[in-house]
Every structure is written in C-alpha cells, then in structure tokens.
Amino acid sequence: MGRIIVIENVSLDGVMQAPAGPQEDTRGGFAHGGWAAPYSDEVAMREMSEGMAQGEQGGPLLFGRVTYRQFEGFWPKQTDGNPFTPVLNAATKYVVSSTLTEPLTWENSVLVRGGELAAVKEREPRDIGVLGSGELVQTLLRLDLVDRFVLSIHPLVLGDGARLFRDGAQLAPFELVKSVPTTTGVIIATYDRAR
C-alpha cells in the first residue's frame, strides 16, 4: 500500500488557493492568484525534480475535479522540454468527481468516486501524490488518509482565500522529517503522519 502525499504551496496564513496564476481559481472573489510565482528559484525546482525522480512525486496522482480540469487544459499541451510534462502525462491520474464521466480526455486518467478513496490507497502499491485539489484534501483529512505533507511555505500573508487547514479540522499529529530553505525565503517542509 502506498502513502498519500499532499504537495501544496501555502502562504504563512495557510492560504493554498491559486498559487500559479491570476485566473487559476477566483472563487469567492479571490484576487491574489499567482502569489507563489515570484518565489520560484533553482532550489525549489531541484527539490520538486528530485522528488519526481525518486518516485515520491513521480508515481500516481490523485486530483479533485477542479484541479484536474486545470491541469488537463494545460500540461498535455506543453512542448517546452520542462521535466514535469512527461511525468504528469505518463502518471496514472485518479480523478475524484461526482459530476465527470468517462472517458476522461487526459491519458492515463481514471475516474474515482469519493467513497473509493481508501480502496484506491489500499490497492495502489506506489505513493500517490495530491497536487492542489483543496476540497479533496479536506476529504482526505477527514478520512485520516494523508500520510505526508510536502509544503512549500511562502513568506507572505494573503489575508483571504481558501486555506489548507480549515476550521473544524480534526486533531492529527505530524512530525517534521525534512526542511529545505530556498533562496527566496520559501521553506519546503516535509511532515509525516505520526500514527
């Protein structure tokens, strides 16, 4: 059985909404989209690339509907030779949705219903990465299925937006197993679930 590893960009006040671009996710009137982009550097790229090469982030992926649709509309079309495109295209992509129907258009995509999450984790021998997918992460936390967080903690406060840990989250201890500072003040912190 693989681990479920949630990989997120977060601000100091825990916001995870729309780190990549202004139009990524404007729900709730969120106006700070793209907040993580100025903090990218060679250290962060190296850490993410190493994770993919070691299989931590190069195995199967688990997406919520909204993040899947955003990735599906972008990554299959990238031809600039970046290291992430072939990994994302080749990965098995488990997509949790009650509204999407098969066949899904992005290669290697499998539709999953919310009640099947524990079964997916049980039958998948490799670690399963979760990128973005804020609502899905809330479900995974409620079901106590998150085994590891890889958080890129950015040195800014956004003040509003969807947060990674929301009011009513249940008690769940984690232990820090690795931390890497970047040249832009981001801390990439890896936490394992203490069970």
Side-chain angles (χ1 to χ4, degrees), residues 24-44:
E24 180 183 5
D25 182 358
T26 59
R27 289 177 291 177
F30 188 68
H32 306 298
W35 54 266
Y39 296 93
S40 182
D41 75 348
E42 65 281 350
V43 176

Side-chain angles (χ1 to χ4, degrees), residues 100-165:
L100 293 178
T101 58
E102 292 185 309
L104 298 173
T105 59
W106 194 5
E107 64 186 292
N108 304 314
S109 295
V110 178
L111 187 61
V112 179
R113 301 301 177 199
E116 301 169 342
L117 287 168
V120 169
K121 181 179 177 182
E122 185 70 33
R123 75 173 173 253
E124 181 58 62
R126 298 168 296 163
D127 289 344
I128 304 168
V130 180
L131 305 171
S133 306
E135 296 307 315
L136 171 61
V137 171
Q138 302 312 304
T139 300
L140 293 169
L141 286 168
R142 268 193 312 279
L143 297 172
D144 197 19
L145 292 174
V146 177
D147 299 294
R148 171 174 278 189
F149 280 104
V150 178
L151 303 179
S152 294
I153 305 165
H154 291 67
L156 82 158
V157 173
L158 292 168
D160 67 345
R163 287 175 166 70
L164 176 58
F165 300 105

Side-chain angles (χ1 to χ4, degrees), residues 1 39 63-64 155 157 174 190:
M1 176 171 68
Y39 296 93
F63 287 108
V157 173
F174 284 81
T190 303

Side-chain angles (χ1 to χ4, degrees), residues 75-112:
W75 285 106
K77 301 171 186 160
Q78 300 310 300
T79 58
D80 60 1
N82 76 70
F84 303 114
T85 300
V87 173
L88 290 169
N89 286 337
T92 299
K93 292 166 279 294
Y94 295 105
V95 184
V96 181
S97 174
S98 61
T99 59
L100 293 178
T101 58
E102 292 185 309
L104 298 173
T105 59
W106 194 5
E107 64 186 292
N108 304 314
S109 295
V110 178
L111 187 61
V112 179

